[in-house]
Amino acid sequence: MPLKSYLRELRSPTGAMATPRGRVRLGVIAWHLGWSAVSLASMVYLIFLPASINVLAALAAASLPGVCSVFLLNRDDFRTRQMLVWVWAVACLLALGLSGGVLGPLAPWVAAPMAAAVALNQRRLILLGAALSVAVTLFGILFSLMRLFPLPDIVESFWLASVAVVTLVTGLGLSLLPALRVRTEAVRGVEHDRSRFLTLLSEQPHLIISVDGEGRLLSAYGESPPGLDMGHLMKHGLITCAHVPHRLGLMQALEVAQDTGRAEAGFMPHAALNHFLRLSLRRGADGKLYGVLSDASLQHAREDELETARQEAQALNEGKSRFLAGMSHELRTPLNAVIGFSDIMRQQMFGPLTGKYAEYSQLIWESGQHVLDLVNDVLDMSKIEASRYELSLERFDARDPVSAALRLILATAHDKGVTVKSVLPPTPLEVTADKRAIKQMCLNLLSNAVKFTPQGGTVTLMLSETGQDSIDIQITDTGVGIAPEDLKRLGKPYEQSGPMELRAMGTGLGLSLVQALAGLHRGRMTIESELGVGTSVSLLLPVAVNTDQPELPLSPPGAPDSDTLVALSTETPRPLEDRLYTPPDLTGSDFVIRPPKS
């Protein structure tokens, strides 16, 4: 770069010197120019002795590299510095040859290329300078043997030898200063960064620790969490700092962190049971375990409150289910009477009725049937939620309950103008299941399909065998369809979709009952729908099921479904007495710990 720009780079906006690299480059150029100045001054002095032309030419050649160093102002890169070292080698070789080789007074200058490389302060250049110094020495020996130029006289040899020794010793000493300065500043930078890092570690609000696989403390930084006995932790390790019931979980967390690389654990300190600490462990590349200890007392208290509220809500839900199951039984008795008497009146078994009374008796019978259906749905759902629903397993042809459900829905579909189609296997399809439940599931799905299909639409039921262990019941309609946001809710009790006038015709228990009954059979229900196109519901049910009552599939929102597998570890942890150890020698370990803030 131009000299003006270079000088501007050397100074910051405040007037201070700029980066160390800029200062080192200026020192290198000054070093070269100083060498040239001494060589030229010696040449001027020897002119008045007078000196021979060979001696003057040797000093002029020695001043050439210093003049070439000015090119570093314009371009300072490795290639330019490498060329400068080669210039030094050639100049010293000329000076050595003109003064008689290694037997001459300028023999110490064989080390000048290496001194210049040291001043340039780059490892590869220093290696190059050392190699070139060896080469100059060999050529100097060759020049001495060939005796191409005579040796200077005694006076010239004295002055030349003095200049060679002084310039080499002084130059080599000064060339070490930039390198030492850079390394000193680098060490200071490292120490400053380390000091800042330790300050950050010690001032952060958690306790960062490193432990071995047995829980022995190796180092600790930061603020000690409330309730933790730091003296006990440093003397006996991490495990014994925990409350006795929590030590087993802490040991298991250490083992898991050693095996998998990470683990989480929580424990109460043995000296402060009103606190709760959270430990997050990670395994480092050196095999040690690094963890963060933080105070989680407030979070733990909130979790306890949430768990208590969840248990209370579960108890209330079970009580509600038992209440509904009991009330459904109580409602069935008067409903049966209403339905029975209205049916007698509707059929005019004891004599004819006038038109209005016949119409009213028909309405009473239809309303009673509707209420009975709702009560039956509530009763079935209550039984399932109360874990009192039992499957009545038997061997039968799967076409029988499906056909029965089709026959029951035909009248409703005909009145509404909806066509019902069915595709059943031509041969018997025997299954082991609850016949009433199969019929109930098909009837509920068919009722929903007819209810949400407009006049002129079609509802199709397909029964098929999938593989050798399950059957598939698929019911497809050309109705209004279900919105994507409603699909997420359907299947939960009392959730409905569609227009409000259609929602008023049910309770939202149909699909939830189907899903629950399918789960009791170890099967599943899937729904696919598109607004304005229609809905397809598929029931995949196993052919053979266990005779034992399976686990109920109903779960609170967000809980895993019935297909989720939970793996339980059968590993027996080691006894606590096998994990105890003698206090370690903590000499040489790092500990920067602050007491907890009030």
Side-chain angles (χ1 to χ4, degrees):
M1 65 178 70
L3 179 61
K4 182 178 180 181
S5 301
Y6 178 76
L7 294 176
R8 187 184 300 114
E9 178 189 344
L10 290 179
R11 304 191 66 85
S12 64
T14 58
M17 292 301 292
T19 61
R21 184 167 178 258
R23 295 199 298 268
V24 169
R25 183 167 55 175
L26 184 61
V28 168
I29 297 175
W31 185 89
H32 283 77
L33 293 178
W35 187 293
S36 296
V38 173
S39 299
L40 292 175
S42 301
M43 184 179 67
V44 172
Y45 176 76
L46 291 176
I47 289 177
F48 296 99
L49 282 181
S52 63
I53 190 64
N54 292 340
V55 171
L56 297 178
L59 291 174
S63 64
L64 180 62
V67 178
C68 293
S69 67
V70 179
F71 289 104
L72 292 176
L73 293 173
N74 187 50
R75 183 178 180 181
D76 186 9
D77 54 11
F78 178 78
R79 182 62 62 85
T80 304
R81 294 190 173 209
Q82 187 181 40
M83 295 299 299
L84 185 59
V85 176
W86 278 98
V87 171
W88 268 103
V90 173
C92 291
L93 187 60
L94 290 175
L96 204 63
L98 292 172
S99 61
V102 294
L103 299 178
L106 296 181
W109 276 1
V110 297
M114 185 174 64
V118 172
L120 292 173
N121 194 26
Q122 285 183 270
R123 181 177 299 177
R124 288 188 291 175
L125 292 180
I126 293 174
L127 295 177
L128 176 63
L132 292 177
S133 294
V134 173
V136 170
T137 302
L138 295 177
F139 278 103
I141 295 174
L142 181 62
F143 290 156
S144 298
L145 295 176
M146 295 175 62
R147 297 183 179 179
L148 296 177
F149 298 98
L151 293 173
D153 58 23
I154 297 177
V155 177
E156 291 174 340
S157 298
F158 172 76
W159 286 108
L160 290 176
S162 300
V163 170
V165 172
V166 170
T167 52
L168 182 65
V169 173
T170 305
L172 188 59
L174 292 176
S175 66
L176 293 175
L177 291 180
L180 292 176
R181 182 182 305 159
V182 170
R183 282 159 178 76
T184 301
E185 291 177 351
V187 170
R188 289 177 180 173
V190 171
E191 290 294 331
H192 177 68
D193 292 342
R194 184 176 184 275
S195 177
R196 288 182 57 196
F197 180 67
L198 289 178
T199 301
L200 290 175
L201 286 179
S202 60
E203 293 298 329
Q204 50 87 30
H206 305 296
L207 183 65
I208 300 177
I209 62 174
S210 65
V211 296
D212 59 12
E214 300 295 327
R216 286 185 287 262
L217 188 66
L218 302 178
S219 61
Y221 301 91
E223 180 181 338
S224 173
L228 184 63
D229 189 347
M230 287 305 304
H232 192 85
L233 175 63
M234 298 173 67
K235 184 177 180 180
H236 297 290
L238 183 62
I239 296 176
T240 57
C241 290
H243 188 38
V244 175
H246 296 166
R247 293 180 182 179
L248 179 59
L250 197 56
M251 288 189 293
Q252 291 176 344
L254 292 173
E255 293 176 354
V256 171
Q258 283 283 11
D259 295 338
T260 64
R262 58 178 59 206
E264 305 286 338
F267 64 93
M268 292 181 180
H270 74 94
L273 299 183
N274 58 330
H275 290 282
F276 190 84
L277 304 183
R278 186 77 65 185
L279 174 63
S280 179
L281 286 171
R282 298 293 184 272
R283 185 186 64 219
D286 54 0
K288 299 178 183 178
L289 297 179
Y290 297 89
V292 177
L293 270 172
S294 57
D295 183 20
S297 302
L298 182 59
Q299 179 183 357
H300 183 65
R302 290 175 177 172
E303 290 176 355
D304 285 344
E305 292 178 358
L306 291 176
E307 179 62 21
T308 302
R310 187 191 68 82
Q311 293 177 357
E312 292 178 354
Q314 186 175 1
L316 290 174
N317 183 61
E318 293 175 356
K320 177 264 299 180
S321 299
R322 289 192 295 268
F323 170 76
L324 289 177
M327 287 300 298
S328 298
H329 281 293
E330 296 297 328
L331 288 174
R332 274 186 173 183
T333 302
L335 271 177
N336 288 331
V338 171
I339 293 173
F341 292 143
S342 61
D343 191 35
I344 293 174
M345 297 171 63
R346 182 175 64 91
Q347 297 182 15
Q348 302 181 10
M349 297 178 63
F350 298 106
L353 297 175
T354 61
K356 278 295 181 181
Y357 287 112
E359 180 184 354
Y360 292 160
S361 62
Q362 178 68 26
L363 292 176
I364 293 172
W365 182 82
E366 291 178 356
S367 300
Q369 286 288 352
H370 179 66
V371 174
L372 182 60
D373 291 339
L374 299 181
V375 170
N376 286 333
D377 288 344
V378 173
L379 177 60
D380 291 340
M381 183 58 64
S382 300
K383 284 184 177 180
I384 293 174
E385 291 183 345
S387 303
R388 293 170 56 186
Y389 195 100
E390 297 182 0
L391 295 177
S392 178
L393 301 178
E394 56 180 308
R395 193 76 175 179
F396 59 91
D397 185 358
R399 297 179 301 175
D400 295 341
V402 174
S403 300
L406 285 169
R407 289 193 299 269
L408 289 175
I409 204 64
L410 282 177
T412 305
H414 177 74
D415 294 340
K416 193 175 180 182
V418 175
T419 303
V420 178
K421 298 180 180 180
S422 63
V423 180
L424 304 180
T427 58
L429 184 58
E430 294 187 353
V431 296
T432 302
D434 189 322
K435 191 172 184 179
R436 176 185 171 274
I438 297 291
K439 176 183 175 182
Q440 183 70 26
M441 287 189 286
C442 294
L443 185 59
N444 285 358
L445 294 179
L446 288 170
S447 299
N448 280 344
V450 171
K451 181 170 65 173
F452 290 100
T453 301
Q455 184 178 3
T458 303
V459 175
T460 305
L461 183 145
M462 297 180 62
L463 173 64
S464 60
E465 183 178 7
T466 59
Q468 298 179 353
D469 59 352
S470 61
I471 61 172
D472 183 26
I473 303 174
Q474 187 171 5
I475 298 175
T476 306
D477 64 64
T478 58
V480 297
I482 304 173
E485 59 273 13
D486 291 335
L487 275 176
K488 301 177 182 179
R489 300 184 293 105
L490 292 182
K492 300 177 183 178
Y494 309 106
E495 292 289 348
Q496 295 177 285
S497 65
M500 291 302 300
E501 60 271 12
L502 293 179
R503 295 189 185 188
M505 299 171 60
T507 59
L509 293 176
L511 286 179
S512 59
L513 273 174
V514 173
Q515 186 174 13
L517 293 174
L520 289 173
H521 285 86
R522 303 296 188 188
R524 66 177 183 270
M525 178 187 71
T526 57
I527 304 176
E528 297 179 0
S529 182
E530 184 178 350
L531 280 176
V533 177
T535 304
S536 177
V537 182
S538 178
L539 284 176
L540 189 63
L541 304 174
V543 171
V545 295
N546 297 327
T547 55
D548 296 336
Q549 178 72 12
E551 182 182 355
L552 293 178
L554 293 181
S555 57
D561 56 20
S562 59
D563 296 330
T564 304
L565 299 180
V566 181
L568 299 178
S569 174
T570 57
E571 181 182 357
T572 303
R574 289 183 291 167
L576 179 60
E577 54 270 14
D578 294 344
R579 302 292 301 277
L580 297 180
Y581 45 81
T582 57
D585 183 10
L586 299 178
T587 305
S589 299
D590 296 330
F591 296 92
V592 183
I593 306 169
R594 296 183 291 111
K597 297 180 180 180
S598 59

